[in-house]
Amino acid sequence: MPTRRAVTGRSREPRARFAEELRSLRTRRGESLRQLGERLGWDWSLFGKMEKGETLGGPEVVQALDTHYGTPGLLLALWELAINDQTQFRERYRRYMALEAQATSLWHFAVSVLPGLLQTPGYAREVLAAGGLKGDELEQQVQARMGRRALLEGDDAPPFRTILSEAVLRTPLRDAGEWRAQLEYVGEAAERENVVVQVLPFRAGFHGLMNADMWYLRLPSGRTVAYTESGYRGHLIEETVAVERLQFSFDAVRDLALSPSESRKFMLRVLEEVPCAPST
């Protein structure tokens, strides 16, 4: 029987820990994902997504895995921790969204994904689907994300600056037409008076904002808050000292980024590399 590991305060991020445990148990058994799927009666791709952290699966799947691996209750406990952490993430995100709606100015740094405020429906759908959403929930989230774009429209829209890592512009959608539409939309948004888009090229090297997307919101009170978001969690930062430290990091990255005019030229070059749809 595999050694049962204690779930303690030393555990890493719950969702990542759950995925790691699934991979570890399967590899120690010497099973492939296909073999696991055949033995438990679920599509093997579900287990692949669970091991990558793309989905948590349901309790019935996790219980079946506990039985299969002889780890009664271990995987279900890790799953519950991951589910609870995901719920807390949603609560923090809802608070962030409420503050975003009030913000008098916003600035942002993107590691690998375009900010929701600049996403097209096609882009949002593929990004959200990669995170495990599907069906009606996926479409609801796409529509909700499209609704956020209204924040940057109109005469009273707040100033918004985003710095995009070159990786954001080098990670295309599967559909070339959707990818072209997305790049064109970012270019059009960059022409608005209240929107500034800059590109941080690969050659800029290492910097202080490499591990997560960062948002900074200036509130009507004059106070600034920050929100850091990775693929698994988000964290709202309101302490003045911590926010100021993150602002210094953003300023340093901005110094490394291309100017807005150079960034527009860069994005045009990337757009030119996208294959055109074949004529009918």
Side-chain angles (χ1 to χ4, degrees), residues 43-192:
D43 189 322
W44 67 270
S45 65
L46 170 63
F47 299 116
K49 290 178 180 178
M50 291 171 70
E51 290 185 11
K52 291 177 182 177
E54 294 176 359
T55 184
L56 293 173
E60 66 284 350
V61 178
V62 180
Q63 287 177 328
L65 287 166
D66 257 334
T67 300
H68 178 69
Y69 292 127
T71 55
L74 170 62
L75 293 178
L76 192 59
L78 291 174
W79 177 83
E80 288 175 347
L81 286 173
I83 284 289
N84 290 334
D85 186 71
Q86 189 176 45
T87 300
Q88 293 170 11
F89 167 75
R90 287 171 178 166
E91 291 174 353
R92 290 191 293 267
Y93 187 66
R94 281 195 290 269
R95 172 157 169 71
Y96 164 77
M97 290 294 294
L99 293 174
E100 181 185 86
Q102 304 170 24
T104 58
S105 64
L106 310 90
W107 54 109
H108 165 264
F109 174 71
V111 173
S112 58
V113 178
L114 284 165
L117 294 176
L118 296 181
Q119 291 181 11
T120 61
Y123 188 94
R125 185 170 291 105
E126 188 164 320
V127 169
L128 292 168
L133 294 182
K134 57 185 177 180
D136 291 341
E137 184 180 6
L138 172 61
E139 294 307 315
Q140 289 170 4
Q141 290 299 315
V142 169
Q143 292 304 313
R145 187 158 294 187
M146 293 306 97
R148 290 179 62 195
R149 300 196 309 186
L151 182 68
L152 299 182
E153 301 170 356
D155 296 336
D156 58 347
F160 172 61
R161 177 189 296 271
T162 183
I163 301 174
L164 308 176
S165 167
E166 184 174 342
V168 175
L169 301 174
R170 297 294 185 190
T171 307
L173 299 177
R174 294 185 181 90
D175 187 309
E178 293 283 7
W179 181 230
R180 172 174 287 276
Q182 175 62 81
L183 291 175
E184 290 174 343
Y185 183 79
V186 173
E188 292 166 1
E191 298 295 330
R192 301 178 193 168

Side-chain angles (χ1 to χ4, degrees), residues 146-253:
M146 293 306 97
R148 290 179 62 195
R149 300 196 309 186
L151 182 68
L152 299 182
E153 301 170 356
D155 296 336
D156 58 347
F160 172 61
R161 177 189 296 271
T162 183
I163 301 174
L164 308 176
S165 167
E166 184 174 342
V168 175
L169 301 174
R170 297 294 185 190
T171 307
L173 299 177
R174 294 185 181 90
D175 187 309
E178 293 283 7
W179 181 230
R180 172 174 287 276
Q182 175 62 81
L183 291 175
E184 290 174 343
Y185 183 79
V186 173
E188 292 166 1
E191 298 295 330
R192 301 178 193 168
E193 292 184 0
N194 65 309
V195 176
V196 176
V197 177
Q198 292 181 258
V199 175
L200 182 72
F202 289 139
R203 65 174 183 270
F206 293 102
H207 56 82
L209 296 178
M210 297 183 64
N211 298 321
D213 282 11
M214 288 296 311
W215 285 89
Y216 305 81
L217 309 178
R218 178 67 57 82
L219 302 178
S221 64
R223 184 169 63 99
T224 298
V225 300
Y227 184 77
T228 177
E229 185 175 9
S230 67
Y232 296 125
R233 65 168 58 200
H235 181 52
L236 184 63
I237 303 164
E238 302 186 66
E239 299 82 3
T240 300
V241 173
V243 172
E244 287 180 349
R245 185 165 59 246
L246 289 169
Q247 283 184 277
F248 290 143
S249 295
F250 182 88
D251 290 341
V253 169

